[in-house]
Amino acid sequence: FSSQLLTLDPSTHSQRTHCSSQFFYPRCCLSPITEDFANSLLLDSARVTISYDGITDTLEPFINGLYFTELTSPENYQVLELTVFDSTTSETSTAMSVLLPGVELDSVSLTRRDTAETFLSDLDYTFPDPEGENFFVIHVYQFTPPETDSADADSGNTGLFFEDDNFLVYEQIFTDRSAEEGIIRRDAVFEFSSPVDSALVVLTHIEEGYYNFLEARSRSGSLAASLANEPVNHPTNVQNGVGYFSAHQPRGQIIIVRNEE
């Protein structure tokens, strides 16, 4: 399972929220893992609902096991319950997640290094650390797909937005242990090969359980790799299923990519 809540217009704090979820059904096989086989695991005929605060909303099927709907935005820290019914097997899976508040970036910059030999670029960003212990994931997307060998996705290309994660050039999960005086300051270096001088940077405040799930996934690699290799014990909050249901509110900014002076 994977799921996300995307506020359509964060700049105006719109109350309309887009919820998308993707589901697969585990099967056993002896043949080599292929992309076609991995795609065959996705459920395209499930009944998917999200329930919260006495409201039950049915998600509509879209493509490749992807389901979506528009919700009246739940309150922060609202408990959301996901129910998936697979009509082909008559199996039902459920999971619950707490919707943590989104966290806005205070500042973010991406600078291309002055070199003709590589596409190395420097990312710097800061944001306020909410009270308590917190966990985050950051993604950087470019708007043209990079070459396969130039993409740097630190935790296995779990990209939250684009179905084609080749647009994802950087991903990192982290905690707030480095915060100083309520501010988190971080930096990274990765290859940014797009000729387009803009990028999408997305910060997401996530639950500890989902952080542990992503950390385990980074050790196992892609879905095909995790099925073919020695299994990694992935944390799960799914009853009668595998994976992780995470309700979260990503906050993104489109920024100008600058050249080093």
Side-chain angles (χ1 to χ4, degrees):
F1 290 1
S2 66
S3 181
Q4 58 191 311
L5 292 173
L6 308 179
T7 301
L8 293 180
D9 188 4
S11 63
T12 58
H13 304 285
S14 168
Q15 292 301 300
R16 298 188 62 169
T17 299
H18 169 75
C19 177
S20 67
S21 302
Q22 193 169 44
F23 311 98
F24 67 88
Y25 179 74
R27 300 177 185 169
C28 192
C29 72
L30 299 177
S31 59
I33 302 298
T34 65
E35 183 177 352
D36 288 342
F37 173 78
N39 287 335
S40 74
L41 302 181
L42 297 170
L43 297 180
D44 57 6
S45 60
R47 183 177 186 271
V48 183
T49 62
I50 297 282
S51 300
Y52 62 97
D53 197 27
I55 300 171
T56 298
D57 193 273
T58 302
L59 282 67
E60 298 294 332
F62 181 54
I63 188 173
N64 292 339
L66 185 68
Y67 296 77
F68 73 98
T69 191
E70 290 185 353
L71 306 176
T72 299
S73 185
E75 299 291 333
N76 291 334
Y77 303 105
Q78 184 83 54
V79 176
L80 277 70
E81 182 175 7
L82 172 73
T83 302
V84 180
F85 174 72
D86 179 10
S87 59
T88 61
T89 63
S90 296
E91 294 282 348
T92 298
S93 297
T94 61
M96 299 196 324
S97 180
V98 176
L99 182 62
L100 298 180
V103 178
E104 302 283 355
L105 290 161
D106 278 343
S107 66
V108 56
S109 66
L110 184 60
T111 306
R112 300 181 195 267
R113 293 189 176 183
D114 185 17
T115 173
E117 298 179 357
T118 71
F119 295 108
L120 288 180
S121 300
D122 295 281
L123 175 71
D124 296 275
Y125 57 99
T126 66
F127 61 93
D129 182 30
E131 292 185 6
E133 187 178 18
N134 295 290
F135 302 84
F136 305 93
V137 58
I138 193 164
H139 297 87
V140 180
Y141 299 90
Q142 59 186 38
F143 292 102
T144 58
E147 296 297 329
T148 302
D149 59 3
S150 70
D152 179 6
D154 288 344
S155 49
N157 278 15
T158 66
L160 296 175
F161 290 99
F162 298 116
E163 182 179 1
D164 180 359
D165 60 19
N166 284 333
F167 291 88
L168 177 65
V169 291
Y170 179 74
E171 176 185 60
Q172 182 65 59
I173 55 174
F174 57 95
T175 72
D176 62 353
R177 293 170 191 162
S178 64
E180 296 182 357
E181 299 181 349
I183 300 296
I184 296 177
R185 296 175 175 84
R186 293 185 61 88
D187 58 72
V189 178
F190 54 89
E191 290 193 344
F192 186 86
S193 60
S194 174
V196 178
D197 288 329
S198 58
L200 173 63
V201 181
V202 181
L203 176 68
T204 308
H205 186 195
I206 60 177
E207 293 179 279
E208 181 179 7
Y210 190 48
Y211 172 91
N212 293 333
F213 175 82
L214 293 180
E215 188 175 47
R217 182 171 176 179
S218 72
R219 298 196 302 271
S220 64
S222 65
L223 171 61
S226 64
L227 291 173
N229 298 333
E230 183 177 349
V232 172
N233 184 23
H234 287 72
T236 181
N237 62 352
V238 179
Q239 301 297 317
N240 193 35
V242 295
Y244 205 93
F245 169 54
S246 175
H248 42 251
Q249 304 183 81
R251 294 293 188 262
Q253 290 187 26
I254 296 177
I255 63 171
I256 301 299
V257 181
R258 305 188 183 281
N259 295 321
E260 187 176 53
E261 297 180 356

